Every structure is written in structure tokens, then in C-alpha cells.
Amino acid sequence: VEVVDYERRHLEGIVALCREEGWPSFPEDRLRADRVLRAPGVTSVVAVEGEAVIGFAYLQSDGEIQAHLSNIVVARRHRRTGIGRALLQVGFERAGGRRLDLITDSAHSFYEALDHRRLAGYRLYPPFDEPGRTQP
Ligand SMILES: CC(C)(COP(=O)(O)OP(=O)(O)OC[C@H]1O[C@@H](n2cnc3c(N)ncnc32)[C@H](O)[C@@H]1OP(=O)(O)O)[C@@H](O)C(=O)NCCC(=O)NCCS
């Protein structure tokens, strides 16, 4: 298993991993997913075994201080073999920064196994100039 930079040929494998997790954003528009993974300021890394995509992660960073993890997934049959850690390590080295923030409702035990502080997180939805409604 190797961790490499994202290329267009990894897209179908990444979309398949998202579909398995029930995450709609990438499967519903593949061209948008490809743009997102290559967007300015985004670092996208892929775990591959031969030609097979078995995990990916993407993050944003200012390059020096603050990074944010957008998503990480490892194929079910490859979990608990260190690939998740490797994706974070390589992605963060490539992106730069001193710390990595994220929100999660599904992977507490993975993040808690890493050096961390637990803080409250919020996901905000625009517009920001009116009182909010709760969104999914
Ligand atoms: C979260 C995820 C990416 C972790 O990937 P992984 O390759 O299994 O992680 P690693 O093997 O590097 O795990 C590192 C350590 O985290 C901890 N850990 C990871 N998954 C765990 C679990 N399900 N239960 C308990 N501890 C866990 C363990 O301490 C593990 O080390 P160990 O296996 O030596 O005990 C993977 O479980 C996944 O794809 N989950 C579904 C998608 C998801 O929820 N993504 C996060 C969105 S915010």
C-alpha cells in the first residue's frame, strides 16, 4: 500500500468509497468532485494497492499554521492496518501547517488515538446575515 497524490484516474475509486459510506456529495457530481480534489489550497492524497484505490483524504491548509480535514475514508477490509494514519501523515506533510482541525460524528475512536485536544465544532450554513434554521 502506497500513499500518492490524487490524479484523475483515482476518481472512480474515490467515488465508490464515498458511495459505500453513504456520502452523496462526490457521487452526485463526479466532475465537481474532481474539481474539489484539485482546487487551490486543497491537498488530496490516495492510498493505492496496485491500481486499486483503498482510501483517500483531502484537507485545506494555509501552508504554515492552520489546516482543516475535509474527509478521510479507508475501505472496510483495509481498516485497522495504519492506512488512515498514513493518509493523515502524508497529507499533512504535503499541505503544511502546525495543527489540523476537523469535525466528525463517526470516527471518534480514530481521532482519539492521535495526539489531540477535543473542542466544540460547528458547521455553518449560509446566509449568515439572518437567524438560522437547523439543517441536516
Ligand atoms: C476513520 C478511518 C479513516 C480510520 O482508518 P484506519 O485505516 O482504520 O485507521 P488506522 O488503522 O490508521 O487506525 C489508527 C488507530 O486509530 C484507532 N482506531 C481506528 N479505528 C478504530 C475503531 N473502529 N475502533 C477503535 N479504535 C480505532 C486505533 O487506535 C488504531 O490503531 P490500532 O489499529 O493499532 O489499534 C476508517 O475507520 C474509516 O474510513 N471510517 C469510515 C469513514 C469515516 O468515518 N471517516 C471520518 C469522517 S470525519
Side-chain angles (χ1 to χ4, degrees):
V1 175
E2 266 184 290
V3 176
V4 299
D5 291 331
Y6 169 72
E7 293 176 26
R8 179 67 178 77
R9 66 194 162 94
H10 301 129
L11 183 62
E12 289 310 312
I14 288 172
V15 167
L17 288 173
C18 292
R19 196 179 291 110
E20 273 173 45
E21 289 305 313
W23 293 337
S25 302
F26 279 11
E28 73 193 12
D29 186 341
R30 291 168 155 67
L31 293 178
R32 181 179 65 179
D34 179 55
R35 289 195 301 275
V36 164
L37 291 166
R38 292 185 296 102
V42 171
T43 298
S44 301
V45 288
V46 185
V48 293
E49 188 175 52
E51 289 297 299
V53 170
I54 58 173
F56 82 100
Y58 77 103
L59 54 148
Q60 290 85 44
S61 180
D62 58 29
E64 307 214 34
I65 302 172
Q66 182 66 52
H68 297 269
L69 182 66
S70 289
N71 214 343
I72 182 168
V73 62
V74 172
R76 283 171 212 277
R77 68 186 179 286
H78 292 278
R79 287 180 192 168
R80 301 302 295 270
T81 62
I83 296 170
R85 273 177 196 270
L87 283 165
L88 280 189
Q89 183 61 28
V90 175
F92 190 72
E93 275 169 18
R94 297 254 211 287
R98 298 176 61 183
R99 59 197 184 214
L100 179 62
D101 288 352
L102 63 101
I103 56 173
T104 188
D105 62 3
S106 58
H108 294 279
S109 42
F110 172 60
Y111 299 119
E112 282 174 10
L114 302 167
D115 188 16
H116 70 281
R117 285 172 62 207
R118 195 161 172 178
L119 305 163
Y122 295 87
R123 174 165 288 171
L124 304 178
Y125 296 92
F128 303 117
D129 58 355
E130 351 181 304
R133 298 171 301 277
T134 301
Q135 299 233 3

